[in-house]
Amino acid sequence: MRRNKKVNFWANSGTTKFATIHSFKGWEVHTLFLVIENEASECNVAQDEFVTPELVYTAITRCKQNLIVINLGNEKYRQFFQKYMPSV
C-alpha cells in the first residue's frame, strides 16, 4: 500500500509529500520545506556524508516558488543561506 501511495502521488492534490532528496529527484513543487540537520549526527558519523552541496542544490532546484529552509544547526549552510538568500 505504501508503494502505491508513493507512485500515485499527484502534485497539487492538497496533500503533503515527505521525501528524502534522493527520492524527490524529478519532482517539482510550488512550496518546498528543506530540513538540514546539524553537522554531526547522533551516531558519530560525519553529516557531510549525508548532506552535500550537490544534494542541497538538487533540493532547492525542485522548488518553483516558496523555499522554506529549516536548518538544525549546520553552520556551513547557515552562512550560505544568510549570504545568498537573505530573509525577505
Side-chain angles (χ1 to χ4, degrees), residues 37-79:
E37 293 186 292
N38 66 8
E39 295 178 37
S41 70
E42 294 176 9
C43 300
N44 294 327
V45 177
Q47 192 64 24
D48 287 340
E49 295 178 24
F50 303 107
V51 181
T52 64
E54 293 82 10
L55 283 176
V56 172
Y57 173 81
T58 299
I60 62 177
T61 59
R62 302 298 102 194
C63 182
K64 292 181 181 179
Q65 193 170 19
N66 302 309
L67 174 64
I68 295 97
V69 178
I70 301 170
N71 186 345
L72 302 176
N74 190 311
E75 185 64 23
K76 178 169 88 174
Y77 291 107
R78 183 189 69 79
Q79 291 174 1

